[in-house]
Amino acid sequence: MHKKTINLNPLQWRANTQALWLSFLGPVIFIAGYFAFRGVAPFGDNTILTVDLGQQYIDFIAYLKDSLLQDPSRLLYSFSKGLGGNFYSDGAYYLFSPFNLLLLPFSKTGLPLGIFLVTILRYGLASLSMAWALRLMRWQNGFALSAFGSIYALSGWMLVNQLNVIWIDVVILLPLIVAFLERYLAGYSYWPYILLLSLAFICNYYMTYMAGLFLIFYFLWRLTWEPYSFYERLKLAGKFIFSSLMGIGLSTFVWLPTAMTLHNSKGQHFWENVKNVFDNTPVDLITKFFPGAFNFKQIETGLPNIFVGSLILILCWYFFTTKNVRWPTRIMGVVVTAFFVVSMLYQPLNVVWHGFSFPVWYPYRFSFVFIFWLIWLSASVWSPKIEFSKFQVISLAGLAIAAIGWIIYRIDQYEYLNLYQIGLGATIFTLILIGLTQIHKHPWWIAVIGLLVGIDMIINSVLTLNHLSYLSNSEYQTVVKTIQKNIDTLPHKSNDFYRVTKNFQRTKDDPMQFGYAGGSVFTSMLENQQSDLMATFGQPEGDNYIAYGGGTLISDSLLGMRYLLRLDQTTNQQIPSAMFNDNRYDAQENYKMISQQQGIQVTKNKNALPLIFASDPTVLNFKTHNDDPIKNQSDLWQSLLGSEDKAFQNINFSGAQAENLMTPETVTGAFLSKNNQKKNASLTLYYQKQASGPTYLTLGTALNSDNLELQVDGQIIYPIPAHRHTMIYTLPDNGQVGDQHQIKLILKTNTVWLQNVSLYAMRQDIWDKQAKQLQKQGIKYQTVKSNDIKGTINVPKGENVLMSTIPYSKNWSVSIDGREVNTVKVAGNFLGAVVSSGDHRIEYEYKVPLLHEGLFISIGFMIFLLGMSWSESSKRRHSLHE
């Protein structure tokens, strides 16, 4: 008896096996070759990092790596997420992909290479998934599998969104989800469909929500395949609903806690600003079917990237017009297709697809299901023996000519498209259409069509990817090494807590990348109150980011910013100047430098408060003032000890000098208008150094980098960042009392409104005295974890509010001397509690909302399914007559 051996010769494999391997390797080799040509490491000094991949995702991946190896509790709650927030929901959106585990062996500086390798792997798996699904459907075999798989992997959506690695897993899984749904409906096991749907929800609930909506419409179309009776349709619907609910149920531990977080943060913005309008026209969508119909602006506010190549468009027309497909199936196919198209035109439907909230950049994210739909329809009718009727050819050619003619007529409306691309697309379309009309007569046209399809996809890929620019590998490594080297000089104790701020940033997610508690973050899962707090304190913020970098001595101390990494622009040679964001003049004389490496000074704020401290009950009455950050900081600081002493005082400009402008009598609220619009104009304001302390300038939202440039003492300072509320600038405070400084406002537009332009001096003696008092009333840490903080505290008489700078959440519990007490919201943002005077043991514990409930529900669904499988197995079947 001979032992069976494994055949390792690919040339002797079955055609389908060869095709599946080609489906995987084809896109992998092409994409790897393209990026090698672009000089991506290890082939050059570029990376694959661009836009959010380089400014956000890589930082989250670094955070995942550190958390798994050092403190997994940071995956539940993180003080690197701004001032602190639920991180489980961020993980569900950004990090729960199994592919991220492949990145754990890579160092922080090696992560760009790891992400590059995983990205090309994802391309291959997307192609393989489609090919395998079509084989499971028995619709295609041989190298047609490779063709349809490669078209799917190199579609317009995939190319443009390769940088959104967090979404790609669901795109990979979708063909298999549909194929195994079909197998279940045909009588096979429900397990593959249920597990794949559950896995998709775990990888990224957001994209799976879109895929889930698609499945509903797909199933409605599926019901038209055969002349089912009402009972048969009901039975199929029952199977679809049951198995889908099971898949959703198994993943409850992911989506239920996340849904609660979304409800408590972004939920209030559902349907905000939605208009009953059509944003695009059908012809606009047709332009996206031409090769390379894309530019960088399309990422921000463009049209859906739905390129699938000419073959798919022609085969879809064949599907809708052939009598070989049942007319109810064709009609329902048209209805479903029309609904998808209208969804990409009509704003309210677009918002529904995006979870009832406008997407920030990357519009029409759901269009991947439209691409899948077109390819799926095409694959269902393709055959090497396909025959087109004269009507099909003439009608399609007529529609194509009319569409192309109209697009050429309006070519000025489409900055991402030119006549060369239109000619190229039209030529390939025509040649493929001719080939399809001759294929039943001359089989060699199959090879020609295959070649044309490959050319079509490759040209689009190259033209599309050429519009993206990528981060330099050497710059990334240099910056990361430099920052990490300075962060490593800070103390790392298990019984201590402090926050760190910087006057520069690689990204807003630097605290994630380098694992420290900070005050900046960029995440789609940002709690609204963190944005509100930064607006209150005069720092840049938005719906999905906060950027604490240019604070005051008061806000630094209040928020526990014990260390400031200050970039010295005179000696720095490692950090690009574009990453600089504030001089922090106020810290130069007030923070002690403890080390200096590679142009970065690590300075210590001796007056930084602990995370938790006792304060006066007056703080419970504090109310914020809109667009008055200095007053907010002053009043809050004053109320912590119930003091009458104000920390800031308003000061006047000592003089003003205008160029090509009328000198305003009052600076704040003045309207500046050029005398001669063809000449430069500026207003120079003078102020004197005060004996009390540092000087600060406030700027209203009407002032931005588009209409104003700031110079301080003749030096150009960083561009005014985007801000939705009045923000604070630090100003030079060196020299002797009474020394004069100047602020030059250079107009970039003809008129400027000096909204909330005011000058303040901080009373340094108040800050120093009160900070030391509050420090004495602070927690003495015993253990510090991200979601569990224990320590002791001595509460002076009359200081009966246990204040913290933890962002308020109902999911934090506070225990005093082993007994849980009610929490209160302090200053509209912070977590507090009322406590009696004396010595106390305190514990702060965070629990992810509905996580335990979600786990129990998921386990319950799994037990139910296992029980069903056990009871339905052939070994357990029996009858009453046995």
Side-chain angles (χ1 to χ4, degrees):
M1 188 177 206
H2 295 287
K3 195 172 184 181
K4 188 175 180 180
T5 58
I6 299 174
N7 186 0
L8 298 178
N9 184 358
L11 297 178
Q12 295 180 4
W13 290 347
R14 295 180 179 179
N16 283 343
T17 304
Q18 293 175 336
L20 290 175
W21 272 106
L22 182 60
S23 301
F24 173 75
L25 293 176
V28 166
I29 293 172
F30 167 69
I31 293 297
Y34 170 82
F35 281 113
F37 179 78
R38 287 290 299 267
V40 169
F43 306 105
D45 189 41
N46 283 324
T47 69
I48 200 172
L49 305 182
T50 184
V51 198
D52 285 0
L53 180 56
Q55 298 174 5
Q56 186 181 35
Y57 305 152
I58 192 169
D59 299 317
F60 278 84
I61 293 170
Y63 182 82
L64 173 67
K65 173 184 171 73
D66 289 345
S67 298
L68 290 176
L69 297 178
Q70 299 174 15
D71 181 9
S73 71
R74 300 198 310 173
L75 297 177
L76 301 177
Y77 189 92
S78 175
F79 282 104
S80 297
K81 181 184 176 182
L83 296 175
N86 177 344
F87 191 78
Y88 188 81
S89 56
D90 297 76
Y93 186 67
Y94 292 102
L95 294 176
F96 284 2
S97 166
F99 288 102
N100 286 334
L101 298 177
L102 299 177
L103 298 173
L104 295 183
F106 292 87
S107 65
K108 287 182 180 179
T109 53
L111 274 179
L113 173 61
I115 292 173
F116 167 61
L117 296 175
V118 171
T119 297
I120 61 175
L121 174 63
R122 281 184 163 114
Y123 272 106
L125 291 178
S127 177
L128 177 62
S129 173
M130 176 60 82
W132 190 14
L134 294 176
R135 185 184 178 192
L136 287 172
M137 295 295 293
R138 301 184 185 277
W139 283 355
Q140 298 298 330
N141 55 58
F143 292 101
L145 297 174
S146 305
F148 286 108
S150 297
I151 290 171
Y152 185 62
L154 299 177
S155 64
W157 190 97
M158 278 287 291
L159 294 167
V160 173
N161 288 287
Q162 68 168 13
L163 57 95
N164 289 306
V165 293
I166 59 175
W167 297 341
I168 306 299
D169 292 11
V170 177
V171 180
I172 294 172
L173 291 172
L174 180 59
L176 296 177
I177 289 172
V178 173
F180 280 108
L181 170 61
E182 289 291 351
R183 287 178 66 84
Y184 173 46
L185 296 178
Y188 292 88
S189 171
Y190 50 64
W191 276 108
Y193 171 68
I194 291 174
L195 292 177
L196 284 169
L197 183 61
S198 180
L199 177 60
F201 269 108
I202 293 170
C203 288
N204 191 279
Y205 67 89
Y206 178 64
M207 301 301 285
T208 307
Y209 160 78
M210 302 174 193
L213 288 183
F214 167 78
L215 287 174
I216 294 173
F217 294 102
Y218 175 86
F219 180 74
L220 294 175
W221 173 69
R222 171 66 174 79
L223 289 177
T224 66
W225 283 15
E226 296 179 29
Y228 297 114
S229 67
F230 176 77
Y231 172 75
E232 288 173 322
R233 284 191 170 92
L234 200 61
K235 185 177 179 181
L236 288 174
K239 296 179 79 170
F240 171 66
I241 294 171
F242 164 76
S243 55
S244 298
L245 289 177
M246 292 300 104
I248 295 171
L250 287 180
S251 58
T252 304
F253 72 97
V254 170
W255 63 260
L256 184 61
T258 304
M260 176 58 70
T261 302
L262 285 170
H263 175 73
N264 292 334
S265 57
K266 293 187 176 184
Q268 58 185 294
H269 296 298
F270 284 0
W271 295 106
E272 191 173 282
N273 300 321
V274 177
K275 298 178 181 178
N276 185 31
V277 297
F278 284 83
D279 293 323
N280 308 302
T281 69
V283 176
D284 293 334
L285 297 186
I286 293 175
T287 65
K288 301 298 285 187
F289 288 123
F290 290 95
F294 170 79
N295 61 19
F296 188 79
K297 290 183 180 179
Q298 293 287 293
I299 292 181
E300 184 177 1
T301 56
L303 291 159
N305 297 289
I306 50 178
F307 181 87
V308 287
S310 295
L311 176 66
I312 299 301
L313 299 179
I314 296 171
L315 290 178
C316 282
W317 182 252
Y318 178 86
F319 177 92
F320 294 131
T321 57
T322 182
K323 293 182 180 179
N324 294 331
V325 177
R326 297 183 72 244
W327 69 263
T329 305
R330 285 183 283 138
I331 291 176
M332 182 57 75
V334 170
V335 170
V336 172
T337 304
F339 177 78
F340 292 154
V341 170
V342 173
S343 295
M344 293 183 281
L345 306 177
Y346 185 49
Q347 191 176 106
L349 281 180
N350 178 33
V351 173
V352 169
W353 278 99
H354 291 97
F356 303 91
S357 182
F358 273 113
V360 179
W361 284 48
Y362 316 108
Y364 308 102
R365 301 171 183 183
F366 69 92
S367 56
F368 75 94
V369 302
F370 180 64
I371 287 173
F372 170 82
W373 171 251
L374 296 182
I375 296 173
W376 199 250
L377 293 182
S378 302
S380 71
V381 295
W382 162 256
S383 168
K385 299 179 180 180
I386 194 169
E387 293 188 34
F388 280 73
S389 68
K390 288 184 179 180
F391 166 77
Q392 289 175 313
V393 174
I394 293 173
S395 58
L396 178 58
L399 289 173
I401 291 170
I404 291 172
W406 183 248
I407 290 170
I408 292 175
Y409 174 72
R410 301 179 70 243
I411 189 67
D412 293 339
Q413 304 293 319
Y414 308 113
E415 60 180 11
Y416 52 84
L417 192 63
N418 57 43
L419 293 176
Y420 168 76
Q421 292 167 273
I422 294 175
L424 192 60
T427 300
I428 294 174
F429 182 90
T430 303
L431 290 175
I432 292 178
L433 181 58
I434 292 173
L436 289 172
T437 62
Q438 300 297 314
I439 197 171
H440 64 286
K441 299 178 183 178
H442 307 288
W444 52 266
W445 268 102
I446 296 176
V448 175
I449 291 172
L451 179 62
L452 289 170
V453 169
I455 292 173
D456 203 10
M457 302 310 295
I458 288 173
I459 289 175
N460 177 69
S461 300
V462 172
L463 292 179
T464 298
L465 293 175
N466 281 350
H467 283 288
L468 298 175
S469 57
Y470 300 93
L471 182 65
S472 160
N473 190 47
S474 58
E475 178 184 301
Y476 170 82
Q477 291 201 5
T478 299
V479 173
V480 168
K481 288 178 181 177
T482 301
I483 297 176
Q484 189 66 62
K485 191 172 183 180
N486 282 275
I487 291 293
D488 288 342
T489 64
L490 302 178
H492 296 83
K493 300 178 182 179
S494 61
N495 62 342
D496 192 14
F497 179 90
Y498 56 84
R499 291 191 175 102
V500 178
T501 185
K502 303 192 274 79
N503 74 331
F504 65 96
Q505 61 180 23
R506 195 193 79 80
T507 75
K508 295 180 180 67
D509 287 315
D510 281 350
M512 293 281 178
Q513 171 76 255
F514 303 103
Y516 61 83
S520 301
V521 74
F522 170 30
T523 172
S524 293
M525 307 300 295
L526 181 65
E527 295 86 352
N528 291 325
Q529 69 187 70
Q530 293 220 50
S531 296
D532 294 341
L533 176 62
M534 288 302 163
T536 297
F537 277 13
Q539 298 296 293
E541 49 77 34
D543 289 337
N544 57 4
Y545 77 92
I546 58 175
Y548 185 91
T552 67
L553 299 184
I554 291 290
S555 62
D556 277 3
S557 295
L558 174 61
L559 298 177
M561 300 290 177
R562 190 187 300 173
Y563 297 98
L564 165 67
L565 271 61
R566 188 174 180 277
L567 187 66
D568 185 349
Q569 289 188 298
T570 60
T571 61
N572 166 64
Q573 296 179 348
Q574 309 296 325
I575 308 297
S577 58
M579 296 181 183
F580 174 79
N581 60 19
D582 196 301
N583 274 299
R584 287 309 305 265
Y585 295 105
D586 56 344
Q588 290 183 18
E589 301 295 330
N590 293 291
Y591 292 177
K592 179 182 178 181
M593 186 171 71
I594 58 176
S595 68
Q596 181 170 3
Q597 299 185 69
Q598 298 175 306
I600 296 177
Q601 299 173 350
V602 179
T603 62
K604 184 176 182 179
N605 173 15
K606 63 180 181 179
N607 287 334
L609 302 185
L611 183 64
I612 303 164
F613 54 92
S615 67
D616 192 274
T618 306
V619 76
L620 297 176
N621 301 321
F622 170 79
K623 302 295 182 184
T624 60
H625 304 273
N626 190 40
D627 277 335
D628 199 345
I630 291 292
K631 182 171 178 57
N632 287 330
Q633 291 191 26
S634 180
D635 288 357
L636 179 56
W637 185 260
Q638 183 181 340
S639 67
L640 291 175
L641 283 170
S643 172
E644 296 294 328
D645 297 323
K646 293 184 179 297
F648 290 93
Q649 60 182 9
N650 188 274
I651 60 176
N652 295 320
F653 294 100
S654 58
Q657 181 179 349
E659 178 185 351
N660 194 26
L661 298 167
M662 292 291 293
T663 304
E665 294 183 6
T666 304
V667 173
T668 302
F671 282 90
L672 303 183
S673 181
K674 289 183 178 181
N675 295 330
N676 186 336
Q677 296 184 359
K678 295 182 179 180
K679 294 184 178 181
N680 296 330
S682 65
L683 177 67
T684 302
L685 304 173
Y686 299 93
Y687 69 95
Q688 293 180 337
K689 175 178 171 58
Q690 302 293 306
S692 55
T695 309
Y696 299 95
L697 175 73
T698 60
L699 299 175
T701 55
L703 301 170
N704 54 61
S705 58
D706 292 330
N707 60 20
L708 196 69
E709 178 184 299
L710 286 181
Q711 291 185 8
V712 177
D713 289 346
Q715 178 184 355
I716 298 176
I717 60 175
Y718 71 99
I720 303 171
H723 59 291
R724 304 187 300 185
H725 299 83
T726 300
M727 64 170 293
I728 299 173
Y729 267 82
T730 60
L731 294 176
D733 197 48
N734 54 307
Q736 303 297 317
V737 175
D739 284 355
Q740 186 163 266
H741 299 275
Q742 66 178 32
I743 306 168
K744 190 172 186 179
L745 312 178
I746 302 173
L747 277 64
K748 293 183 178 180
T749 55
N750 293 328
T751 59
V752 168
W753 175 30
L754 300 185
Q755 181 192 22
N756 292 347
V757 177
S758 299
L759 204 61
Y760 299 87
M762 199 192 91
R763 297 183 59 186
Q764 193 165 329
D765 55 338
I766 298 295
W767 166 64
D768 193 64
K769 175 183 176 182
Q770 294 187 345
K772 286 181 169 52
Q773 178 61 42
L774 290 170
Q775 284 177 329
K776 293 178 182 178
Q777 300 170 190
I779 182 176
K780 303 297 186 293
Y781 300 106
Q782 293 177 333
T783 59
V784 177
K785 291 185 178 181
S786 292
N787 63 338
D788 191 12
I789 301 168
K790 297 178 182 177
T792 60
I793 192 169
N794 178 266
V795 178
K797 187 176 181 180
E799 307 290 304
N800 299 116
V801 172
L802 199 57
M803 173 72 179
S804 78
T805 52
I806 301 172
Y808 179 82
S809 170
K810 294 180 180 179
N811 302 105
W812 276 103
S813 64
V814 177
S815 296
I816 299 176
D817 298 325
R819 190 174 183 178
E820 187 172 336
V821 299
N822 293 328
T823 60
V824 295
K825 185 184 291 187
V826 180
N829 291 288
F830 297 116
L831 180 69
V834 177
V835 63
S836 61
S837 303
D839 293 324
H840 299 283
R841 291 178 292 105
I842 58 175
E843 179 178 6
Y844 283 58
E845 185 178 12
Y846 182 83
K847 293 181 180 179
V848 176
L850 298 182
L851 176 57
H852 289 165
E853 292 85 346
L855 283 169
F856 284 130
I857 292 173
S858 294
I859 293 170
F861 271 91
M862 179 59 75
I863 293 173
F864 173 75
L865 285 169
L866 291 173
M868 280 191 60
S869 296
W870 180 82
S871 65
E872 292 179 357
S873 66
S874 58
K875 293 181 180 180
R876 299 297 167 188
R877 291 174 184 164
H878 63 276
S879 71
L880 294 174
H881 300 288
E882 287 181 342

